[in-house]
Amino acid sequence: MIAGGKQRPRRSFESTVAMWLSDPGFTYMLGFMLINVEFLINLFIIKGVNYTEIDWKAYMQEVSGFLNGTHDYMELKGDTGPLVYPAGFVYIFSALYYATRQGTNILFAQYIFVLFYSINLYLVFSIYDRTLKCPPYVLLFMCFTSYRIHSIYVLRLFNDPVAMLILYLAIVFFLKKNWVVGSIFFSLAVSVKMNVMLFAPGLLVLMLYETGIAKTFYLLSICASIQLGLAAPFLMENPTGYMMRAFDFSRTFMFKWTVNWRFLPEEIFSDVQFHIALLALHLIVLLLFASYKWRKSFTSLLSLIDFRTNMKPSGRLALTANQMVTVLFTSNFIGMCFSRSLHYQFYIWYYHTIPYLLWSTDYSSPMRLLLFGIIEMCWNTYPSTDMSSYGLHACHLLILIGLWRSSTSVLMAHRRVAPAAKVAVVDKKDK
């Protein structure tokens, strides 16, 4: 009721739906419904679409060697070649080996990956709910438009989704400012697959800014200790073999599987000089963003490692969720743009970050959705073509330009605020 005894007009069904789809405040509610719908969709996919064997059998062969007592990484291999993932992968997939009758119960393995998919969505939606960057209807496109992502999970059983699930869990803890637990899960994610390291440059900047040099060193020591602890059985047997296999940065990719460089001659694709050029571009663009989008200048970036001023930071505004997610997702995206090769399962490395990055640009919503759709088409083109690779690079370039030109500020300034005012200022800026 309102003044005068008149009844407040009720919202129409259409206006209520429009509000749910457009107001970021309803992200959590819509996300909860989508998780349940997606759970059922994945079950229907398992029932209606045949499983395709690609790497699962090889995973099981690799971990069976470990379970049979082989701790020399040079001796662990499967049908697709030697084991090339860090130790965390071995332990997680050893558990899956036992849970699925030595890897033979594919159907049960698929059900486990449905659970992984649901948990991953929950974590991603939690991140989006904290940032309130995107309208909730974007989640509909994220869930219902990508056959490739569903396939990576429940029809292929790749290890990439496992690594990304743990990574998103780490980010949730980072957003809660629980840097220790976040670092633990970040290191665990790296121990499953090395692609997670693409987030590391951005994470390092965040750690240095928020916690200072002393605590950053402590957090990095936690990450290193976890890697050493997980790898201990293999390091004691053959430390050189473990480092060569688990952290092989010179690994050769097969041209027939590339999604992003199909238009190149194979000899250029395999050329070491081409790989060095991509690495150089990666570092240059990363440095530019770190210096002029995440900080004021290169000098202010270097100030983060100045022992005289940044051992224990004080008088700074706390980082907002949007600042943290923008830096982390951009760091990973830059790495994807200059990757030596992207295989189809690598789509999961950045798929759930794309909407956030698009809504961090100043493009119109139709333009954002168009770019998202073209990226999806490029990844769904099998085998990849010159046109699909060109299209993917064009979309990546437009997103990079949009992020660079965006009015969204990720600048982390050294403003001093009164302790009582700090939380209020941060919350207002985050919204």
Side-chain angles (χ1 to χ4, degrees), residues 64 71 86 97 108-109 156 172 200 204 252 260 273 276 293 325 363 382:
S64 67
H71 291 169
Y97 178 88
F108 189 63
R156 303 294 189 272
V172 168
L204 180 61
T252 301
N260 57 331
Q273 292 184 342
I276 294 174
K293 293 298 293 184
V325 174
Y363 296 140
Y382 177 79

Side-chain angles (χ1 to χ4, degrees), residues 234-246:
F234 311 107
L235 291 174
M236 289 188 292
E237 182 72 22
N238 184 353
T240 303
Y242 177 78
M243 296 303 296
M244 288 177 60
R245 286 283 192 256

